[in-house]
């Protein structure tokens, strides 16, 4: 029987601060009330999920005052609203973050303890909303946290996927995908708004007609209409008094359409229409970077963009009676090209639905929209075949043609006779099969274009958007990514948070430049041992989880060498494999060899259709089996593939890492954000000069960063000079041995076929230059091994990494977006 000793007395219950407050007794009452009135459960029958739900509702209630205040600001014409359009929001579990941001972790823990419940168990009960693939979706979530913390009015708009990113299981070393049924047990954080709905047209054709003023206008006659319904989730700032809004759209059938347009009584067709409608928000596409021309994907993009823009128009018209000033109400950020159909949709809304003249509409559109590019990989640059595009969005294609015609006219006026330039800039790719290039649409329709790290922005200007940069350099800026220290430190690393706060106070949580205050303590003995103790405890916790999930026993005293991120050839998980095999061989050749004991932890999902990535997962596991069970190794090397890497698991992994692997081929990783989370938690980085690694190294100091490998310029020179991986294979003995072993079946029970595609690719193409970077990587890892043995020096480096990570707070990034791109300001303190 649970103890209910802490149930407050009836005398308290009428008081307002009691109902809304966060004192222990008020929380206790609120949890019990939700258990009874919302979950309809007597104490004796309450499951862990019932307790979780009751607690979550009690916490959500405590967000409402600020939230409703923020929602009322939406009507204040003086306040510009940031509208972050993103096909992905990888929010991570809400409960812990909300407890941190509201500052009620401890009272909640006490209230539950009095009820015989353990807060940590309930935190583990939450199934995270995996509405994103990786960095891009997680960045959107960090940015919402910072917007609310900085008191900037903001709405994140996206899709309420019924199934998010698949759950990953490892079976026989291979990845197996399982449907992510995250809504199965209910979602206490969202509030459905059945009254906020919009219709979205699909397909059909367009017609010209003359309106009552004698103007020729266009009408879009769709062959389908679906309805988007708003689901709202509050996003609390860190003790800022502001709670922003995440509004996700679920697609549903429009009943009037189904039942009237079809033959009366044609029930099955009506049901079919319903199925089509509900399919749109059914599932997240699990591709991290490469794009595929799938009609449903374009349908999803248009669906959420159209609902969101219609919603903004409605909100604006609550403030003003004309759309002329729309750009003063909203700053709309396009998170990559996924929402770039917004350029054509906003034009359509203004011109077709609100009778604007083209030029005026265009001016509003460009003043409102801005575009962030997140990748240079050619296979990730979205383009849609014209026939497919026309069949789904016939009116938008016309609008895009008109935008393009006017844009190219301007180009030709300035660069007379340069037809090549016009062809390269065109929104329509005319080479071979014709396509709509979404990055061009986004660039033409935006008043600002930014990359996500200094190097990435430079490369963007030199390669993918070179021509745009040459004609309009003033549109380009860099905003280096950032991560929120609330989730990625305060919540996930309470031990380090406590230690730091004891020394320098807690100002760093919102002003992480204050972490510099740790520098005077780097050499302090007591501080160093406290620092080591925290890391050691985090490693022990992770070791326990690894044991439970994989059965593998790892030693928390060994160097935790971690590579977690999506599996992709450019991220080079297989370079890490070559390193491990090299160490293994050194031990095999000399069982007494002096190797620094290491635990290699891999984690990450592969796109289900990405064969090579899935083969890499299999290789990690197969190689791990051999290494882990070899008596000669004697536990000095342990290889772990941690299944189902997601936000929840990340929160355990980053704080436990000693070494952060950021080993992408230079020029390929736009920024990375995992690199920041590791460093913030005191891991040292081994990395190439890629993405934000460059800036991390600048900040923490070259002497506190393990750099190796070719630079982006060297990579491109090497490639244009005709790269031959076999040359490296021929020259490097350890490399050759490792590759031969993979090919020869050492890790596949003698099966020479299994890893052949991977070996063939490395020897014949090696697009990502593993062989060229191999030796530099191995040598650098040898320096890491030596450095780890000098515990004092290593600890100093670790402290300095944390002390100098201030720049990589998402608060800094959001301030830059606010001032350089959005012209948005914080709400005044009330
Ligand atoms: C990039 O690959 C970056 C994130 C967030 C990813 C990664 O380096 O940190 O975006 N790009 O900016 C991406 O997902 C579709 O492109």
């Amino acid at each position: 029987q649970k103890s209910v000793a802490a149930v407050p007395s009836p005398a308290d219950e009428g008081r307002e601060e009691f109902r809304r407050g966060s004192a222990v007794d008020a929380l206790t009452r609120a949890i019990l009330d939700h258990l009874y009135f919302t979950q309809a459960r007597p104490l004796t029958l309450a499951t862990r999920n019932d307790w979780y739900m009751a607690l979550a509702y009690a916490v959500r209630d405590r967000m409402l005052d600020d939230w409703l205040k923020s929602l009322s600001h939406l009507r204040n014409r003086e306040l510009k609203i940031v509208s972050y359009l993103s096909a992905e929001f990888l929010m991570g579990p809400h409960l812990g973050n909300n407890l941190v941001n509201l500052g009620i972790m401890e009272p909640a823990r006490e209230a539950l303890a009095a009820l015989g419940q353990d807060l940590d168990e309930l935190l583990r009960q939450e199934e995270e909303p995996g509405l994103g693939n990786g960095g891009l979706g997680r960045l959107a979530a960090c940015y919402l946290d910072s917007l609310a913390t900085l008191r900037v009015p903001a709405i994140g708009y996206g899709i309420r996927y019924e199934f998010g990113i698949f759950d990953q299981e490892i079976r026989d070393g291979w990845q197996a995908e399982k449907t992510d049924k995250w809504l199965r047990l209910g979602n206490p954080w969202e509030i459905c708004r059945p009254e906020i709905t919009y219709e979205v047209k699909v397909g059909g054709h367009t017609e010209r007609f003359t309106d009552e003023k004698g103007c020729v206008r266009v009408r879009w006659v769709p062959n389908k209409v679906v309805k988007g319904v708003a689901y709202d989730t509050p996003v609390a700032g860190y003790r800022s008094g502001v709670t922003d809004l995440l509004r996700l759209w679920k697609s549903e059938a429009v009943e009037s359409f189904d039942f009237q347009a079809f033959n009366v009584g044609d029930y099955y067709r009506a049901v079919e229409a319903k199925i089509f409608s509900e399919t749109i928000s059914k599932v997240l596409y699990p591709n991290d970077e490469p794009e595929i021309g799938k009609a449903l994907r374009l349908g999803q993009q248009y669906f959420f963009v159209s609902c969101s823009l219609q919603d903004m128009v409605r909100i604006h018209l609550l403030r003003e009676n004309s759309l002329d000033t729309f750009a003063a109400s909203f700053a709309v950020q396009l998170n990559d090209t996924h929402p770039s159909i917004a350029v054509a949709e906003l034009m359509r809304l203004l011109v077709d639905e609100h009778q604007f003249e083209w030029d005026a509409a265009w001016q509003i559109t460009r003043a409102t929209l801005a575009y962030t590019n997140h990748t240079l990989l050619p296979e990730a640059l979205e383009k849609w075949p014209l026939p497919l595009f026309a069949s789904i969005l016939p009116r938008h294609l016309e609008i895009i043609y008109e935008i393009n015609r006017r844009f190219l006219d301007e180009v030709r006026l300035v660069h007379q006779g340069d037809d090549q330039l016009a062809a390269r800039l065109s929104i329509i790719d005319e080479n071979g099969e014709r396509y709509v290039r979404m990055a061009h649409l986004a660039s033409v329709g935006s008043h600002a274009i930014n990359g996500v790290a200094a190097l990435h922005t430079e490369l963007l200007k030199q390669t993918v958007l070179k021509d745009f940069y040459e004609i309009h350099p003033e549109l380009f800026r860099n905003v280096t990514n950032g991560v929120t220290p609330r989730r990625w430190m305060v919540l996930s690393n309470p031990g380090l948070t406590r230690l730091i706060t004891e020394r320098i106070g807690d100002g760093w949580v919102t002003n992480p430049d204050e972490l510099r205050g740790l520098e005077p303590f780097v050499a302090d003995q007591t501080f160093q041992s406290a620092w080591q103790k925290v890391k050691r405890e985090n490693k022990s916790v992770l070791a326990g989880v690894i044991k439970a999930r994989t059965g593998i026993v790892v030693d928390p005293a060994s160097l935790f060498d971690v590579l977690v991120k999506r599996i992709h050839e450019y991220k080079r998980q297989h370079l890490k494999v070559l390193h491990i095999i090299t160490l293994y061989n050194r031990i095999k050749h000399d069982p007494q060899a002096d190797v620094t004991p290491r635990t290699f932890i891999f984690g990450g999902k592969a796109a289900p259709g990405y064969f090579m990535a899935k083969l890499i997962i299999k290789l990690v596991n197969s190689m791990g089996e051999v290494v882990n069970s070899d008596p000669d190794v004697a536990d000095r090397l342990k290889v772990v593939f941690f299944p189902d890497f997601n936000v929840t698991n990340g929160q355990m992994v980053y704080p436990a890492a000693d070494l952060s692997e950021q080993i992408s081929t230079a020029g390929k990783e736009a920024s990375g954000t995992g690199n920041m989370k590791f460093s913030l938690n005191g891991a040292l980085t081994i990395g190439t000069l890629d993405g934000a690694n460059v800036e991390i190294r600048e900040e923490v100091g070259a002497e506190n960063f393990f750099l190796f490998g070719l630079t982006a310029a060297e990579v491109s020179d090497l490639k244009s000079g005709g790269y031959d991986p076999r040359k490296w294979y021929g020259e490097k003995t350890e490399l050759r041995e490792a590759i031969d072993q993979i090919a020869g079946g050492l890790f596949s029970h003698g099966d020479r076929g299994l890893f052949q595609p991977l070996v063939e690719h490395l020897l014949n193409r090696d697009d990502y230059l593993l062989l060229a970077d191999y030796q530099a990587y191995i040598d650098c890892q040898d320096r890491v091994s030596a450095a780890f043995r000098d515990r004092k020096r290593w600890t100093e480096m670790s402290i300095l990494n944390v002390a100098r990570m201030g720049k990589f707070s998402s608060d800094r990034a959001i301030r830059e977006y606010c001032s350089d791109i959005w012209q948005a300001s914080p709400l005044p303190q009330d």
Side-chain angles (χ1 to χ4, degrees):
Q1 187 65 47
K2 309 279 185 208
S3 147
V4 287
V7 177
S9 79
D12 291 322
E13 311 208 348
R15 290 188 288 118
E16 193 61 9
E17 73 268 23
F18 184 82
R19 283 186 55 227
R20 298 173 184 231
S22 299
V24 175
D25 55 350
L27 284 172
T28 309
R29 175 81 266 164
I31 294 166
L32 286 173
D33 277 353
H34 278 297
L35 203 55
Y36 190 83
F37 293 110
T38 312
Q39 292 302 101
R41 281 291 197 182
L43 276 175
T44 45
L45 295 183
T47 62
R48 185 178 298 165
N49 193 59
D50 289 322
W51 284 105
Y52 161 74
M53 294 288 277
L55 171 62
Y57 283 119
V59 171
R60 194 184 79 180
D61 290 346
R62 272 129 195 98
M63 303 167 76
L64 290 181
D65 282 344
D66 284 344
W67 197 30
L68 297 182
K69 234 187 297 151
S70 304
L71 291 177
S72 72
H73 292 316
L74 298 182
R75 293 178 181 239
N76 180 348
R77 54 198 294 190
E78 305 296 314
L79 297 171
K80 195 172 205 182
I81 303 164
V82 171
S83 165
Y84 202 81
L85 290 190
S86 181
E88 304 186 7
F89 284 93
L90 193 46
M91 300 296 285
H94 291 290
L95 177 58
N97 202 248
N98 287 331
L99 291 170
V100 164
N101 283 13
L102 298 178
I104 59 172
M105 185 72 85
E106 287 321 306
R109 190 179 295 282
E110 271 184 54
L112 287 164
L115 295 166
Q117 297 298 311
D118 175 20
L119 174 60
D120 295 317
E121 255 178 40
L122 300 191
L123 286 167
R124 282 194 290 274
Q125 177 65 25
E126 180 171 352
E127 183 137 7
E128 73 170 77
L131 309 186
N133 274 287
L136 172 138
R138 183 53 229 175
L139 185 76
C142 283
Y143 282 178
L144 291 185
D145 181 90
S146 286
L147 282 160
T149 299
L150 295 172
R151 301 178 53 85
V152 179
I155 307 177
Y157 281 113
I159 302 174
R160 181 181 178 275
Y161 300 105
E162 186 178 336
F163 305 117
I165 187 70
F166 62 85
D167 294 334
Q168 179 193 57
E169 284 182 2
I170 301 299
R171 292 196 202 132
D172 186 29
W174 294 96
Q175 165 175 297
E177 298 94 23
K178 282 187 40 189
T179 320
D180 162 52
K181 298 186 183 141
W182 71 289
L183 290 167
R184 189 179 36 195
L185 296 176
N187 175 4
W189 302 102
E190 69 183 5
I191 292 170
C192 176
R193 304 282 190 195
E195 289 177 306
I196 302 183
T197 71
Y198 299 97
E199 293 196 346
V200 177
K201 302 176 197 175
V202 187
H205 63 278
T206 61
E207 290 171 0
R208 258 126 272 266
F209 68 100
T210 308
D211 70 6
E212 57 291 357
K213 292 197 201 118
C215 299
V216 178
R217 302 217 160 259
V218 179
R219 183 162 39 226
W220 176 13
V221 186
N223 59 20
K224 289 195 187 89
V225 178
V226 301
K227 185 170 84 175
V229 182
Y231 281 74
D232 289 355
T233 302
V235 179
Y238 180 80
R239 299 169 205 188
S240 67
V242 165
T243 293
D244 279 330
L245 168 61
L246 172 63
R247 177 163 284 172
L248 303 178
W249 303 103
K250 173 179 194 277
S251 62
E252 288 185 1
V254 181
E255 265 197 304
S256 58
F257 183 80
D258 303 344
F259 288 97
Q260 282 160 26
F262 292 120
N263 291 338
V264 176
D266 193 347
Y267 178 73
Y268 283 97
R269 269 190 77 185
V271 171
E272 262 169 44
K274 183 168 155 60
I275 291 171
F276 167 80
S277 309
E278 291 176 355
T279 302
I280 292 186
S281 60
K282 187 66 78 180
V283 58
L284 169 76
Y285 276 93
N287 299 298
D288 187 37
E289 308 235 6
E291 278 307 329
I292 26 149
K294 286 281 194 297
L296 182 60
R297 168 95 170 162
L298 182 59
Q300 289 185 334
Q301 296 181 350
Y302 178 60
F303 164 74
F304 96 88
V305 165
S306 179
C307 289
S308 308
L309 283 171
Q310 291 186 65
D311 196 43
M312 289 178 240
V313 165
R314 175 185 62 89
I315 293 168
H316 177 82
L317 292 176
L318 294 170
R319 306 170 146 207
E320 313 257 5
N321 45 31
S322 137
L323 286 172
D324 291 338
T325 51
F326 186 72
S329 286
F330 285 98
V332 176
Q333 194 66 29
L334 307 175
N335 198 26
D336 213 76
T337 54
H338 317 147
S340 59
I341 191 62
V343 175
E345 174 66 356
L346 185 50
M347 286 301 286
R348 189 189 68 82
L349 290 171
L350 293 169
V351 172
D352 292 359
E353 312 260 319
H354 293 271
Q355 287 78 46
F356 269 74
E357 290 304 325
W358 183 277
D359 289 326
W362 185 239
Q363 203 250 318
I364 294 170
T365 298
R366 288 199 64 233
T368 307
L369 303 178
Y371 159 52
T372 305
N373 173 287
H374 293 267
T375 181
L376 304 171
L377 295 190
E379 68 269 29
L381 293 173
E382 284 191 296
K383 48 182 195 171
W384 300 103
L386 284 192
L388 178 125
F389 199 97
S391 72
I392 296 169
L393 300 172
R395 177 57 182 144
H396 295 77
L397 189 56
E398 291 174 359
I399 291 172
I400 288 171
Y401 282 149
E402 182 61 14
I403 293 171
N404 201 36
R405 187 186 66 75
R406 290 168 179 248
F407 170 60
L408 294 182
D409 278 352
E410 272 175 41
V411 171
R412 289 197 192 94
L413 209 64
V414 185
H415 303 269
Q416 298 215 0
D418 195 346
D419 288 343
Q420 295 286 308
L421 178 67
R424 290 200 307 271
L425 283 166
S426 174
I427 300 173
I428 308 297
D429 182 347
E430 308 272 358
N431 298 319
E433 201 192 342
R434 299 167 76 218
Y435 293 98
V436 184
R437 295 161 163 160
M438 299 309 265
H440 292 215
L441 178 62
S443 300
V444 175
S446 296
H447 68 278
I449 301 169
N450 75 284
V452 290
L455 173 67
H456 169 65
T457 300
E458 280 318 304
L459 294 172
L460 193 61
K461 296 194 282 196
Q462 287 164 27
T463 61
V464 173
L465 296 181
K466 178 170 193 281
D467 297 309
F468 285 93
Y469 178 63
E470 273 163 16
I471 60 171
H472 285 303
E474 76 286 357
L475 297 181
F476 286 76
R477 22 200 144 294
N478 173 246
V479 184
T480 298
N481 285 168
V483 300
T484 168
R486 272 74 66 181
R487 181 178 294 274
W488 297 113
M489 181 66 126
V490 180
L491 176 61
S492 55
N493 200 344
L496 201 57
T497 300
R498 220 172 295 122
L499 176 61
I500 293 172
T501 303
E502 273 165 25
R503 289 292 164 130
I504 62 168
D506 65 0
W508 60 272
V509 177
T510 46
N511 183 15
D513 290 332
E514 290 184 19
L515 289 168
R516 292 259 174 194
L518 292 172
E519 292 202 25
F521 304 111
V522 275
D524 175 331
Q525 277 291 341
T526 342
F527 189 64
Q528 280 204 3
S529 21
W531 191 270
Q532 289 161 354
K533 185 157 169 277
V534 169
K535 182 62 82 181
R536 180 60 179 259
E537 278 161 8
N538 294 341
K539 289 166 77 174
S540 297
V541 171
L542 183 62
V545 179
I546 288 174
K547 172 80 194 351
R549 306 229 176 133
T550 67
I552 301 171
V553 177
V554 304
D555 177 6
S558 64
L559 189 169
F560 276 22
D561 177 344
V562 187
L563 177 45
V564 288
K565 49 182 79 236
R566 284 298 288 252
I567 312 293
H568 203 297
E569 287 163 281
Y570 86 79
K571 297 180 190 273
R572 302 201 293 192
Q573 280 90 359
H574 43 342
L575 178 58
K576 179 83 236 155
V577 170
L578 292 176
H579 171 229
I580 300 171
I581 297 176
T582 303
L583 294 180
Y584 174 65
N585 287 333
R586 288 181 186 173
I587 292 178
K588 293 303 281 183
H589 296 317
D590 171 13
Q592 309 312 317
D594 189 18
V595 295
T596 302
R598 293 203 196 202
T599 300
F600 303 96
I601 299 167
F602 290 81
K605 295 175 186 178
Y610 187 173
F611 168 74
M612 204 61 102
K614 292 177 111 171
L615 193 58
I616 291 174
I617 293 179
K618 173 66 175 166
L619 176 61
V620 169
N621 285 306
S622 304
M623 176 271 300
E625 251 175 57
V626 171
V627 172
N628 293 349
S629 62
D630 192 319
D632 286 347
V633 172
D635 290 343
R636 283 173 290 176
L637 308 177
K638 276 285 164 73
V639 183
V640 174
F641 191 94
F642 192 111
D644 203 35
F645 185 69
N646 56 13
V647 176
T648 309
N649 291 329
Q651 289 175 198
M652 288 187 284
V653 169
Y654 297 116
D658 292 308
L659 186 66
S660 156
E661 298 272 352
Q662 307 301 333
I663 60 177
S664 52
T665 317
K668 299 292 179 195
E669 188 70 87
S671 164
T673 43
N675 46 4
M676 302 167 186
K677 294 164 198 168
F678 276 111
S679 202
L680 181 64
N681 283 278
L684 305 188
T685 305
I686 180 164
T688 49
L689 281 180
D690 201 15
N693 295 354
V694 178
E695 291 156 80
I696 292 176
R697 178 167 172 268
E698 257 165 39
E699 291 293 306
V700 306
E703 66 287 4
N704 300 306
F705 186 106
F706 295 96
L707 177 71
F708 77 96
L710 299 167
T711 63
E714 287 164 351
V715 165
S716 99
D717 289 349
L718 187 56
K719 287 206 158 185
S720 54
Y723 171 60
D724 176 15
R726 291 212 183 243
K727 175 172 139 322
W728 275 265
Y729 172 78
E731 285 170 5
K732 307 284 171 202
T733 346
E734 289 191 310
L735 169 66
R736 190 168 55 247
E737 185 181 12
I739 291 183
D740 289 349
Q741 287 166 333
I742 298 173
L746 180 61
F747 307 111
S748 43
H749 306 284
D751 178 352
R752 295 163 164 266
L754 183 58
F755 299 118
Q756 198 194 343
L758 207 141
V759 171
E760 294 267 280
H761 187 271
L762 286 183
L763 291 181
N764 299 322
R765 299 178 48 103
D766 192 18
D767 287 332
Y768 300 105
L769 305 187
L770 278 77
L771 274 55
D773 266 344
Y774 168 86
Q775 197 59 53
Y777 181 53
I778 299 295
D779 296 344
C780 190
Q781 286 286 12
D782 290 342
R783 295 199 297 278
V784 170
S785 291
F788 191 69
R789 289 164 173 237
D790 182 349
R791 278 198 80 192
K792 191 166 157 47
R793 175 69 193 120
W794 185 278
T795 307
E796 282 175 16
M797 289 163 79
S798 166
I799 296 169
L800 287 176
N801 263 262
V802 176
R804 297 173 179 176
M805 280 303 288
K807 170 173 173 184
F808 303 97
S809 163
S810 45
D811 297 349
R812 186 269 314 147
I814 284 300
R815 282 197 190 93
E816 290 178 10
Y817 278 101
C818 281
S819 67
D820 300 352
I821 297 177
W822 300 332
Q823 270 76 55
S825 339
L827 291 161
Q829 294 287 344
D830 33 34

